[in-house]
Amino acid sequence: MMNARRVDEQKVILAAAESLIAVGCSVSVFEDQMVILSDSTDPIQIDRAFCESGESGFRVKRVIDGVEQEGLVEFVSAFGIEGTADDNLQVHHTLQIVNELAAQLGLQRNVPVCESCGHEDHPDKYGSLCPVCGSEPT
């Protein structure tokens, strides 16, 4: 049985996969350099592979104006679960809905937190090193 957080995370990943597929994307999931899932348009398979990989995101392909674009979609940030993507994919509008869902489910926070030591850093310092342990806050 899945714990409540995993259920909520699954909702976000499934929503992201469905939204990305709806705008013409296919998704590949890697663990390090090993391919777990290649060019899938099946949200259930994407979620399973993503969960199995333990990675923070997956690789996405999309054709824009006849040119195949490839990039990363990530789900982990100093603010919790937040979907972000490489600019060339042009899916930020798609991920906005996913991020709203993550916020509704309580998977986002207003203050970035260092994943290494748990120190809450001030939002205007996002991207800076943690003042406690010196790690990146993401």
Side-chain angles (χ1 to χ4, degrees):
M1 187 172 142
M2 288 190 282
N3 68 32
R5 181 169 173 87
R6 171 62 185 125
V7 169
D8 287 345
E9 289 172 351
Q10 182 181 45
K11 290 176 185 176
V12 171
I13 299 305
L14 288 171
E18 290 168 356
S19 297
L20 291 166
I21 292 163
V23 296
C25 296
S26 65
V27 174
S28 296
V29 179
F30 294 82
E31 183 174 7
D32 296 319
Q33 299 298 321
M34 186 177 75
V35 178
I36 295 177
L37 182 67
S38 182
D39 296 325
S40 179
T41 56
D42 181 331
I44 301 296
Q45 287 183 353
I46 293 167
D47 174 67
R48 283 186 190 142
F50 178 72
C51 183
E52 178 184 325
S53 76
E55 297 291 332
S56 61
F58 39 68
R59 185 157 296 281
V60 173
K61 290 182 185 175
R62 180 181 188 201
V63 175
I64 300 172
D65 297 327
V67 178
E68 184 175 83
Q69 301 290 326
E70 188 172 341
L72 293 175
V73 173
E74 296 279 337
F75 294 96
V76 177
S77 80
F79 294 100
I81 294 182
E82 177 182 30
T84 59
D86 291 342
D87 289 336
N88 65 309
L89 294 171
Q90 300 178 15
V91 294
H92 298 292
H93 62 285
T94 302
L95 293 177
Q96 182 178 356
I97 296 165
V98 173
N99 288 331
E100 289 171 8
L101 173 62
Q104 289 171 0
L105 294 172
L107 298 173
Q108 290 185 351
R109 50 189 176 259
N110 295 325
V111 177
V113 174
C114 177
E115 296 295 328
S116 295
C117 72
H119 175 74
E120 290 188 4
D121 202 8
H122 193 272
D124 65 10
K125 295 182 181 176
Y126 181 72
S128 64
L129 297 179
C130 174
V132 174
C133 71
S135 297
E136 293 281 337
T138 58

Short mmCIF file of all heavy atoms in Angstrom, two decimals, residues 10 17 19 21 30-31 36 41 43 47 50 64-65 76 78-79 83 93 95 113 117-118 124 134 138:
data_model
loop_
_atom_site.label_atom_id
_atom_site.label_comp_id
_atom_site.label_asym_id
_atom_site.label_seq_id
_atom_site.Cartn_x
_atom_site.Cartn_y
_atom_site.Cartn_z
N GLN A 10 2.10 10.80 -6.94
CA GLN A 10 1.63 10.09 -8.12
C GLN A 10 0.61 10.93 -8.88
O GLN A 10 0.64 10.97 -10.11
CB GLN A 10 1.03 8.74 -7.73
CG GLN A 10 0.57 7.92 -8.93
CD GLN A 10 -0.04 6.60 -8.53
OE1 GLN A 10 -0.83 6.54 -7.59
NE2 GLN A 10 0.34 5.55 -9.23
N ALA A 17 2.37 13.95 -16.81
CA ALA A 17 2.48 13.06 -17.98
C ALA A 17 1.31 13.28 -18.93
O ALA A 17 1.50 13.43 -20.15
CB ALA A 17 2.56 11.60 -17.53
N SER A 19 -0.62 15.91 -19.24
CA SER A 19 -0.55 17.25 -19.83
C SER A 19 0.53 17.33 -20.90
O SER A 19 0.33 17.94 -21.95
CB SER A 19 -0.27 18.29 -18.74
OG SER A 19 -1.32 18.33 -17.82
N ILE A 21 1.77 14.80 -22.67
CA ILE A 21 1.32 13.98 -23.80
C ILE A 21 0.29 14.74 -24.62
O ILE A 21 0.31 14.70 -25.86
CB ILE A 21 0.79 12.62 -23.31
CG1 ILE A 21 1.94 11.79 -22.73
CG2 ILE A 21 0.05 11.88 -24.42
CD1 ILE A 21 1.50 10.63 -21.86
N PHE A 30 15.15 7.67 -17.23
CA PHE A 30 16.48 7.10 -17.06
C PHE A 30 16.79 6.96 -15.58
O PHE A 30 16.29 7.73 -14.76
CB PHE A 30 17.54 8.03 -17.67
CG PHE A 30 17.45 8.15 -19.17
CD1 PHE A 30 16.55 9.03 -19.76
CD2 PHE A 30 18.26 7.39 -19.97
CE1 PHE A 30 16.47 9.14 -21.13
CE2 PHE A 30 18.20 7.50 -21.35
CZ PHE A 30 17.29 8.38 -21.94
N GLU A 31 17.64 6.02 -15.27
CA GLU A 31 18.26 5.94 -13.96
C GLU A 31 19.76 5.96 -14.23
O GLU A 31 20.30 5.01 -14.81
CB GLU A 31 17.87 4.66 -13.22
CG GLU A 31 18.45 4.59 -11.83
CD GLU A 31 17.95 3.39 -11.05
OE1 GLU A 31 17.24 2.54 -11.60
OE2 GLU A 31 18.28 3.31 -9.87
N ILE A 36 15.06 3.27 -18.60
CA ILE A 36 14.02 2.45 -17.97
C ILE A 36 12.77 2.43 -18.85
O ILE A 36 12.09 1.42 -18.95
CB ILE A 36 13.68 2.98 -16.56
CG1 ILE A 36 14.88 2.82 -15.64
CG2 ILE A 36 12.47 2.26 -15.98
CD1 ILE A 36 14.68 3.39 -14.26
N THR A 41 4.09 7.34 -24.24
CA THR A 41 2.93 8.23 -24.14
C THR A 41 1.86 7.59 -23.25
O THR A 41 0.68 7.88 -23.38
CB THR A 41 2.35 8.56 -25.53
OG1 THR A 41 2.03 7.34 -26.19
CG2 THR A 41 3.33 9.37 -26.37
N PRO A 43 0.76 7.43 -19.45
CA PRO A 43 0.99 8.04 -18.13
C PRO A 43 1.26 7.04 -17.02
O PRO A 43 2.09 7.30 -16.15
CB PRO A 43 -0.30 8.82 -17.87
CG PRO A 43 -0.90 9.05 -19.20
CD PRO A 43 -0.50 7.87 -20.04
N ASP A 47 4.67 7.01 -14.80
CA ASP A 47 4.69 7.12 -13.34
C ASP A 47 5.46 5.95 -12.73
O ASP A 47 6.29 6.15 -11.84
CB ASP A 47 3.28 7.18 -12.78
CG ASP A 47 3.29 7.14 -11.26
OD1 ASP A 47 3.80 8.11 -10.64
OD2 ASP A 47 2.84 6.13 -10.69
N PHE A 50 9.17 6.35 -13.45
CA PHE A 50 9.69 7.49 -12.70
C PHE A 50 9.90 7.12 -11.24
O PHE A 50 10.95 7.39 -10.66
CB PHE A 50 8.74 8.68 -12.83
CG PHE A 50 9.18 9.89 -12.06
CD1 PHE A 50 10.26 10.64 -12.48
CD2 PHE A 50 8.50 10.28 -10.92
CE1 PHE A 50 10.67 11.76 -11.77
CE2 PHE A 50 8.90 11.39 -10.20
CZ PHE A 50 9.99 12.14 -10.63
N ILE A 64 8.38 20.83 -32.48
CA ILE A 64 7.89 22.20 -32.54
C ILE A 64 8.32 22.78 -33.88
O ILE A 64 9.52 22.82 -34.18
CB ILE A 64 8.44 23.06 -31.38
CG1 ILE A 64 8.02 22.45 -30.04
CG2 ILE A 64 7.96 24.51 -31.50
CD1 ILE A 64 8.67 23.11 -28.83
N ASP A 65 7.36 23.22 -34.68
CA ASP A 65 7.64 23.77 -36.01
C ASP A 65 8.50 22.83 -36.84
O ASP A 65 9.45 23.26 -37.52
CB ASP A 65 8.30 25.15 -35.91
CG ASP A 65 7.40 26.18 -35.24
OD1 ASP A 65 6.17 26.09 -35.41
OD2 ASP A 65 7.94 27.07 -34.55
N VAL A 76 11.68 18.40 -8.62
CA VAL A 76 12.18 18.69 -7.28
C VAL A 76 12.86 20.04 -7.29
O VAL A 76 13.66 20.33 -8.17
CB VAL A 76 13.16 17.61 -6.81
CG1 VAL A 76 13.74 17.95 -5.45
CG2 VAL A 76 12.47 16.26 -6.75
N ALA A 78 13.89 23.53 -4.36
CA ALA A 78 13.99 23.94 -2.96
C ALA A 78 12.62 24.28 -2.38
O ALA A 78 12.46 24.42 -1.18
CB ALA A 78 14.93 25.13 -2.82
N PHE A 79 11.62 24.41 -3.25
CA PHE A 79 10.26 24.73 -2.81
C PHE A 79 9.38 23.49 -2.72
O PHE A 79 8.17 23.60 -2.58
CB PHE A 79 9.62 25.76 -3.75
CG PHE A 79 10.30 27.09 -3.71
CD1 PHE A 79 11.20 27.45 -4.69
CD2 PHE A 79 10.07 27.97 -2.67
CE1 PHE A 79 11.84 28.67 -4.65
CE2 PHE A 79 10.70 29.19 -2.62
CZ PHE A 79 11.60 29.55 -3.61
N GLY A 83 7.18 21.47 -10.88
CA GLY A 83 7.54 21.08 -12.23
C GLY A 83 8.20 22.22 -12.97
O GLY A 83 7.66 23.32 -13.05
N HIS A 93 3.54 26.54 -19.64
CA HIS A 93 2.10 26.71 -19.42
C HIS A 93 1.45 25.39 -19.00
O HIS A 93 0.56 25.37 -18.16
CB HIS A 93 1.43 27.25 -20.69
CG HIS A 93 1.56 26.31 -21.87
ND1 HIS A 93 2.75 26.16 -22.55
CD2 HIS A 93 0.67 25.49 -22.44
CE1 HIS A 93 2.57 25.26 -23.52
NE2 HIS A 93 1.32 24.83 -23.47
N LEU A 95 2.97 22.96 -17.35
CA LEU A 95 3.40 22.62 -16.00
C LEU A 95 2.80 23.54 -14.94
O LEU A 95 2.76 23.19 -13.76
CB LEU A 95 4.93 22.65 -15.91
CG LEU A 95 5.62 21.56 -16.72
CD1 LEU A 95 7.13 21.72 -16.64
CD2 LEU A 95 5.20 20.17 -16.25
N VAL A 113 14.02 25.10 1.16
CA VAL A 113 14.61 24.35 2.25
C VAL A 113 15.80 23.57 1.71
O VAL A 113 15.71 22.92 0.67
CB VAL A 113 13.58 23.38 2.88
CG1 VAL A 113 14.23 22.49 3.92
CG2 VAL A 113 12.42 24.15 3.47
N CYS A 117 20.46 19.70 4.94
CA CYS A 117 20.40 19.87 6.39
C CYS A 117 19.03 20.32 6.90
O CYS A 117 18.80 20.36 8.10
CB CYS A 117 21.47 20.85 6.87
SG CYS A 117 21.15 22.57 6.44
N GLY A 118 18.10 20.69 5.98
CA GLY A 118 16.76 21.09 6.40
C GLY A 118 16.62 22.56 6.77
O GLY A 118 15.53 23.00 7.12
N ASP A 124 14.49 35.18 -1.17
CA ASP A 124 15.29 36.02 -2.06
C ASP A 124 16.72 35.50 -2.20
O ASP A 124 17.51 36.02 -2.96
CB ASP A 124 15.28 37.49 -1.64
CG ASP A 124 15.94 37.75 -0.29
OD1 ASP A 124 16.59 36.84 0.25
OD2 ASP A 124 15.79 38.87 0.20
N GLY A 134 26.41 24.86 3.45
CA GLY A 134 27.13 25.20 2.22
C GLY A 134 26.64 24.47 0.98
O GLY A 134 27.20 24.64 -0.10
N THR A 138 18.68 23.25 -3.53
CA THR A 138 17.81 22.35 -4.30
C THR A 138 18.22 20.93 -4.12
O THR A 138 19.31 20.61 -3.79
CB THR A 138 17.81 22.70 -5.78
OG1 THR A 138 19.14 22.63 -6.27
CG2 THR A 138 17.21 24.03 -6.03
#
